[in-house]
Amino acid sequence: MNTSADAAELRAALRTVAEPGTLLEAEADTAPFLLDQRRQYQGRALAVALPRSVAEVSRLLAWCNARHVGVVPQGGNTGYCGGATPDESGRQLVIGLQRLNRIRAIDAADYAMTIEAGCLLAQAQRAAAEAGRFFPLELGSAGSCQIGGNLATNAGGLNVLRFGMARDLALGIEAVLPDGRVIQHLRSLRKDNTGYDLRGLLIGSEGTLGIITAATLKLWPQLRSTATALAAVPNAAAAVSLLARLRTLAAERLNSYELLPRAALDLVIRHIEAVADPLGARHDWYVLCELSSFAIEPLDALLEQILGDAMAAGEVLDAALAPSERARTNLWRLRENVPEAQRRAGPSLKHDISVPVARLPEFIAQAAAWVQEQVPEGTLIAYGHAGDGNLHFNISFLRGTAAALVAAQEPLIRRAIHDLVAAHGGSFSAEHGIGRLKVGELERYASSAEMATMREIKRALDPNGIMNPGKVLAAG
Ligand code: FAD
Ligand code: MLT
Ligand code: ZN
């Protein structure tokens, strides 16, 4: 049984291990680290540590391991699954990575950079650009999430179609294991078949196997041409046909393909300043698509031609190409502000799902019919990275709807949607991870062989179970 006396003793001992200034203990200082971004989980903690070096991370972990103190790594705290929030015991140590934020090296000739986990994603993108290179990870949270968090969650985002997810962008990794040992594999090699892929294992492990302290990331040449359009399509099936057309005719130049229902556009226009619908008439569905090239190419003409042909074939009803960088930014504001508009509109239930692209229309039709019948007071906002088969299948409720009412319906809605996803051969967590929120879902949908293997990996790397207890896998 943990007592507050234990906690006080632990805190006193911790002060002797941490560097001066590393520990935050006052309530006002720790509060931002104890509440998750969606305000679903309010934790307590022994303290929050903000180490300045890998050696200090190592010392803190070894100390926690010896005393069986739970550790919760935290990046920018923008995650959606409560993975970065400590439990309610007040006995876990939050380790924030924000002070480990150096760009260690950029090798433009090698198309690689080595940066520390606490670098903001936007900082990483800027550093690459300053070296004349391009780092393609792009999320709406780029200004606040950290590279370490992106890797720990294997983040996806807006450019996955062409460049892949965070795991695909990392060449090497540096991580501290629960007992304090440091794995340093920061090579920029494109070919390196030397044993088990520890990099791949640590990426996506959501802080349950170790703390990522740095990574070597792939870079590309800077993009020199871009063409972006918002196209109205008659239905989801037309969106899938248009995707196939773009993949055939624009090939690898297609980097983003995002689906937006009218309800999402309406939310953004109502709740976000200075955004406008560039098309005159209202339509049920839209696609925001972008082509890009490392060469100087007439991509506007190519996109116009493809959309024109699609219009003649009935796949597109209307389209607006962005004639300038400013217009392009405005189109992206419509898409990137959907989560914020949803937040301002009232409570919502989120489902981060994926199905094989060709099955999107059937899935959307069946799931939307279920929502309409069973949750008539909710508005379905099913939008997202349709090019990857990934939808944020969210249900918004009017502001003022009692949170308890929404929470009471959540289990039934989640079960119906996730079961339908499974029936379509899909995933109940496409890009946001498991965290604390989806531990039960993983148990339900993963096979017993997969669950047993994951538990064995966890036991082998973290025998005392100190790393992010209760996240991804149930504690114990
Ligand atoms: P945190 O939230 O701090 O942590 C997330 C998890 O990683 C936790 O389990 C934590 O313990 C662990 N962790 C963090 N840092 C480390 C580390 N250094 N070592 C080990 N474990 C660590 N996500 C997408 O995938 N695609 C999107 O398009 C997308 N869009 C978003 C848009 C908005 C507006 C917002 C608010 C969020 C969005 N997200 C998206 C979710 C979120 O930004 C990502 O999951 C992001 O990768 C989390 O990074 P973070 O630094 O905030 O991590
Ligand atoms: C997005 O793509 O906008 C996010 O991953 C989903 C969200 O913020 O709800
Ligand atoms: Zn997303």
Side-chain angles (χ1 to χ4, degrees):
M1 178 80 189
N2 301 325
T3 64
S4 55
D6 287 338
E9 277 167 32
L10 282 171
R11 215 174 280 129
L14 192 53
R15 284 184 208 120
T16 66
V17 184
E19 302 281 342
T22 288
L23 288 185
L24 307 181
E25 295 181 58
E27 208 180 307
D29 297 333
T30 58
F33 297 86
L34 306 182
L35 180 65
D36 78 299
Q37 193 260 131
R38 291 198 68 211
R39 297 171 177 269
Q40 290 189 312
Y41 300 107
Q42 172 72 67
R44 293 169 58 230
L46 205 53
V48 174
L50 301 178
R52 293 180 182 81
S53 69
V54 178
E56 194 179 11
V57 174
S58 164
R59 259 198 327 277
L60 288 168
L61 281 192
W63 183 89
C64 288
N65 195 43
R67 285 157 190 80
H68 294 224
V69 169
V71 171
V72 181
Q74 191 171 111
N77 199 15
T78 67
Y80 277 125
C81 302
T85 310
D87 69 11
E88 294 77 22
S89 68
R91 297 254 313 176
Q92 298 183 329
L93 177 68
V94 174
I95 300 192
L97 278 300
Q98 64 208 50
R99 288 177 177 163
L100 279 182
N101 62 357
R102 280 184 316 128
I103 307 288
R104 289 196 193 160
I106 301 192
D107 189 338
D110 203 25
Y111 288 82
M113 67 177 174
T114 297
I115 67 175
E116 291 182 342
C119 289
L120 296 179
L121 173 55
Q123 182 190 351
Q125 293 167 336
R126 259 195 321 274
E130 281 161 14
R133 295 290 177 258
F134 175 60
F135 179 61
L137 189 64
E138 187 60 273
L139 316 179
S141 52
S144 27
C145 63
Q146 299 175 6
I147 286 295
N150 299 150
L151 292 169
T153 57
N154 187 27
L158 303 167
N159 290 334
V160 171
L161 192 55
R162 180 169 188 179
F163 297 100
M165 297 192 46
R167 186 181 280 116
D168 303 307
L169 307 178
L171 294 162
I173 203 146
E174 180 186 82
V176 184
L177 297 178
D179 62 6
R181 278 178 299 170
V182 180
I183 289 190
Q184 203 190 40
H185 199 88
L186 289 171
R187 300 182 194 160
S188 63
L189 303 173
R190 261 61 179 180
K191 295 186 128 183
D192 182 19
N193 274 345
T194 47
Y196 296 140
D197 183 6
L198 300 178
R199 174 201 61 95
L201 180 62
L202 286 157
I203 295 174
S205 66
E206 300 182 51
T208 62
L209 300 178
I211 294 193
I212 298 170
T213 47
T216 301
L217 303 170
K218 280 186 203 167
L219 300 178
W220 276 259
Q222 269 186 339
L223 296 172
R224 299 175 77 188
S225 318
T226 320
T228 312
L230 184 73
V233 293
N235 47 45
V240 171
S241 306
L242 177 61
L243 173 65
R245 184 184 288 275
L246 280 159
R247 292 186 87 153
T248 306
L249 298 172
E252 80 288 348
R253 293 176 190 82
L254 180 62
N255 62 265
S256 299
Y257 194 83
E258 299 284 318
L259 186 66
L260 291 163
R262 180 70 218 187
L265 244 61
D266 283 343
L267 271 191
V268 176
I269 291 164
R270 193 171 321 134
H271 294 283
I272 306 293
E273 317 67 46
V275 286
D277 175 0
L279 300 174
R282 290 173 66 85
H283 300 279
D284 288 345
W285 291 98
Y286 300 81
V287 158
L288 177 55
C289 55
E290 186 163 279
L291 308 185
S292 62
S293 174
F294 304 122
I296 295 178
E297 285 190 85
L299 291 186
D300 278 333
L302 177 64
L303 188 53
E304 199 172 350
Q305 172 77 50
I306 297 172
L307 292 176
D309 292 349
M311 213 176 272
E315 280 164 15
V316 166
L317 301 171
D318 196 3
L321 251 98
S324 62
E325 185 54 30
R326 193 188 157 110
R328 172 177 176 259
T329 306
N330 283 336
L331 286 188
W332 275 113
R333 273 174 61 76
L334 274 175
R335 161 63 184 92
E336 291 192 274
N337 277 298
V338 177
E340 176 58 19
Q342 241 193 323
R343 202 184 59 77
R344 293 187 192 176
S348 66
L349 296 176
K350 287 176 179 272
H351 309 90
D352 166 37
I353 63 97
S354 64
V355 295
V357 170
R359 300 188 73 164
L360 275 173
E362 199 189 334
F363 169 79
I364 291 174
Q366 290 177 9
W370 187 90
V371 171
Q372 200 169 20
E373 201 180 303
Q374 304 292 329
V375 201
E377 68 282 22
T379 304
L380 179 60
I381 311 283
Y383 72 98
H385 321 292
D388 315 320
N390 177 193
L391 286 183
H392 300 304
F393 197 88
N394 300 346
I395 301 172
S396 271
F397 295 84
L398 284 180
R399 178 171 288 292
T401 311
L405 201 76
V406 177
Q409 300 194 66
E410 195 276 335
L412 177 79
I413 296 173
R414 168 171 30 101
R415 184 58 56 240
I417 291 173
H418 287 172
D419 279 356
L420 196 60
V421 166
H424 283 271
S427 164
F428 68 87
S429 179
E431 60 171 7
H432 293 161
I434 303 294
R436 177 166 166 182
L437 185 67
K438 298 182 191 167
V439 171
E441 300 303 280
L442 185 63
E443 272 168 13
R444 179 181 173 92
Y445 296 105
S447 69
S448 53
E450 286 169 321
M451 288 307 298
T453 309
M454 285 192 238
R455 289 198 185 100
E456 281 160 21
I457 290 172
K458 170 77 175 169
R459 260 197 304 276
L461 269 75
D462 182 19
N464 292 343
I466 64 157
M467 290 307 308
N468 224 355
K471 315 292 171 52
V472 182
L473 301 172

